[in-house]
Amino acid sequence: MDFELSETQRILKKAVGDFSERWCSPDVVRRHDEADAYPHDVYGELAKAGWLGIVYPIEYGGSGGDAMDVTLIFEELCRRWMALGLIYHTAAIFPLGIRYFGSEEQKRTHLRDIAEGRTRFAFALTEPDSGSDAAALRTRAVREGDEYVVNGAKTFISGADVANRIALVARTDPSVSKHRGLSMFLLDTRSTGVRIQPIPKLGIHGLRTCQIFLEDVRIPFTDVVGGVNNGWNVVLRTLEWERLSIGARCIGGCQAVIDDAIRYANQQKHSGTAIGTFQAIQHMIADMEIATQAARMLTYRLAWMIDHGKPCAREAAVVKVFASETYARIARMGVQVLGEYGYTMDFAMQRHYRDSKIYEIGGGTSQIQRGIIAKSLGL
Ligand SMILES: Cc1cc2nc3c(=O)[nH]c(=O)nc-3n(C[C@H](O)[C@H](O)[C@H](O)COP(=O)(O)OP(=O)(O)OC[C@H]3O[C@@H](n4cnc5c(N)ncnc54)[C@H](O)[C@@H]3O)c2cc1C
């Protein structure tokens, strides 16, 4: 068992760290957070760095990287800017169905454009009446000649307002069991009948989450990914990587909280003594470090399992629960270490407090992940 990063991984981690230092200064992050503004320029820089297509094959314009590479990128980006990590996720993870299940033409049409920042993706599974029970979705796609006609609504779709394409899951066969009658479409957001409306939210400002209304939207048959009625398999593969991505983003967030807590504890004095010398503060920060190390190891192991083609549905759920709950708990402790300043908008700690909560919900709630783990154990 080798716990060392390879030379190439160390170089990548350092390059992303340098990138973040240059493009994600505290001032830039704060301005985008306050204005809930999408960082178009920084997205362009991610494309120039070659990281948007890190997990896509070189022949389609990607960098041919693996799950461990993308894990390191998420971790380093989120150490500086959590919302940028989610924005990066929309390029690196949402279109993965094309890499695994797409036709040759779909790969040629989309992957290079994603890698070079021209095409932006969103992933639309959730509906107003189907969140945790995602396969119960009701958006309906009916075949008419060479097209499908789609009607329905999606909700909480991250980045739909800036996306050119949406990986949209719809019901193509209502006569079979709920998981078997679904297909994934590559919806062009300029299509007639598509209406997108952002929903204001607590955190991850800069990437808006939206409702999508679909009224008689026509999608060419050639934009079905992975075959008709095979959509659930595409979803499962995407969600496995999403859980890795969430683990990696959360450990980046945890590290940012620890860095800020240590800096503050060493600077802030009470009666001439730095609060970092108080055992209560030391133990809080030590607990943050213990949990973060554990979350990092679990996440790196999941990346290794994906890279070695091992079945990992249970491990993906373990990572999703542990890393998200760790980040939320540590963010809460971070606010406590900073005391009253932790509660003000002047310090970044409040942002972690707001940003961390989504990870216990999005990508499958903690309750649903515990259910997956229990079922995999034969319960
Ligand atoms: C900011 C944000 C961004 C998002 N981005 C996307 C996106 O880009 N694409 C997308 O498709 N979706 C997205 N989602 C949706 C997200 O994946 C869902 O919110 C999530 O799957 C939970 O579904 P729900 O909110 O409908 O909760 P519900 O399913 O309504 O659950 C409500 C509560 O009941 C619990 N519960 C439900 N069923 C069970 C059960 N069987 N056993 C035990 N407890 C249960 C849940 O754990 C939860 O606590 C996003 C959500 C948010 C908030």
Side-chain angles (χ1 to χ4, degrees):
M1 202 175 289
D2 185 357
F3 288 101
E4 285 284 347
L5 294 181
S6 70
E7 177 67 9
T8 330
Q9 288 163 345
R10 272 202 303 275
I11 291 170
L12 176 64
K13 187 173 156 75
K14 164 96 173 51
V16 185
D18 291 347
F19 175 98
S20 304
E21 210 169 310
R22 169 150 189 222
W23 295 102
C24 315
S25 70
D27 186 46
V28 166
V29 176
R30 183 180 172 154
R31 274 194 284 113
H32 284 82
D33 179 59
E34 285 176 359
D36 198 2
Y38 187 94
H40 290 276
D41 51 343
V42 184
Y43 192 83
E45 295 301 328
L46 283 170
K48 278 190 213 158
W51 297 328
L52 294 181
I54 189 87
V55 291
Y56 304 132
I58 291 169
E59 63 264 38
Y60 301 114
S63 310
D66 59 16
M68 192 60 210
D69 292 332
V70 83
T71 297
L72 294 173
I73 296 178
F74 276 120
E75 189 181 352
E76 285 303 306
L77 289 180
C78 293
R79 194 170 172 175
R80 291 273 178 168
W81 192 352
M82 182 53 69
L84 187 65
L86 225 157
I87 288 165
Y88 177 63
H89 176 96
T90 63
I93 306 296
F94 279 161
L96 268 175
I98 303 175
R99 169 184 144 178
Y100 283 110
F101 298 89
S103 65
E104 184 61 23
E105 191 192 336
Q106 287 167 344
K107 288 179 192 168
R108 296 223 171 273
T109 307
H110 297 292
L111 294 184
R112 184 177 298 278
D113 280 353
I114 295 164
E116 294 178 4
R118 285 187 296 278
T119 294
R120 284 175 211 200
F121 257 81
F123 174 73
L125 177 65
T126 305
E127 297 188 359
D129 293 322
S130 60
S132 297
D133 187 10
L137 63 86
R138 294 211 300 239
T139 292
R140 185 78 170 93
V142 177
R143 181 98 189 242
E144 268 187 26
D146 288 344
E147 295 176 323
Y148 274 90
V149 180
V150 183
N151 281 284
K154 296 284 174 183
T155 193
F156 292 110
I157 308 308
S158 301
D161 58 332
V162 287
N164 319 73
R165 288 272 174 172
I166 297 177
L168 174 96
V169 191
R171 188 160 304 283
T172 32
D173 186 352
S175 69
V176 293
S177 66
K178 63 183 177 184
H179 294 94
R180 286 178 43 224
L182 302 174
S183 303
M184 183 177 280
F185 296 86
L186 300 175
L187 167 70
D188 184 334
T189 54
R190 293 165 306 179
S191 308
T192 308
V194 177
R195 194 159 55 84
I196 295 172
Q197 203 172 305
I199 307 166
K201 61 181 179 3
L202 180 68
I204 315 284
H205 291 166
L207 183 68
R208 294 202 276 179
T209 296
C210 307
Q211 298 182 75
I212 306 176
F213 302 97
L214 305 154
E215 207 181 320
D216 291 332
V217 178
R218 292 188 168 267
I219 306 181
F221 179 74
T222 47
D223 283 341
V224 175
V225 185
V228 175
N229 295 333
N230 192 34
W232 191 247
N233 286 326
V234 188
V235 167
L236 287 182
R237 183 47 79 93
T238 311
L239 289 182
E240 196 170 277
W241 280 77
E242 173 153 11
R243 287 165 193 163
L244 173 73
S245 155
I246 288 176
R249 281 181 267 151
C250 286
I251 54 179
C254 287
Q255 195 57 56
V257 171
I258 294 173
D259 294 346
D260 279 5
I262 292 173
R263 195 175 311 117
Y264 186 86
N266 281 332
Q267 279 168 6
Q268 180 70 5
K269 293 196 167 66
H270 274 202
S271 310
T273 309
I275 63 165
T277 62
F278 302 153
Q279 194 182 50
I281 298 288
Q282 290 177 351
H283 284 193
M284 261 196 282
I285 296 176
D287 281 343
M288 293 180 189
E289 176 65 19
I290 294 165
T292 302
Q293 284 203 21
R296 183 176 288 115
M297 284 300 117
L298 287 171
T299 305
Y300 285 9
R301 183 188 60 157
L302 176 60
W304 180 88
M305 290 180 86
I306 291 176
D307 284 335
H308 287 78
K310 310 240 176 236
C312 54
R314 183 198 303 166
E315 287 73 13
V318 166
V319 164
K320 170 50 173 77
V321 174
F322 190 78
S324 63
E325 293 187 354
T326 297
Y327 181 31
R329 183 163 60 90
I330 280 184
R332 192 164 173 272
M333 290 160 84
V335 171
Q336 198 66 21
V337 168
L338 268 65
E340 70 269 42
Y341 288 108
Y343 200 65
T344 69
M345 303 311 270
D346 292 339
F347 284 77
M349 203 57 92
Q350 48 76 28
R351 210 180 54 244
H352 293 292
Y353 194 68
R354 289 184 288 114
D355 284 352
S356 59
K357 184 60 201 171
I358 181 53
Y359 292 122
E360 295 178 312
I361 301 169
T365 65
S366 291
Q367 290 75 23
I368 294 300
Q369 303 310 311
R370 286 187 166 87
I372 293 171
I373 296 163
K375 205 169 162 196
S376 78
L377 294 171
L379 295 162

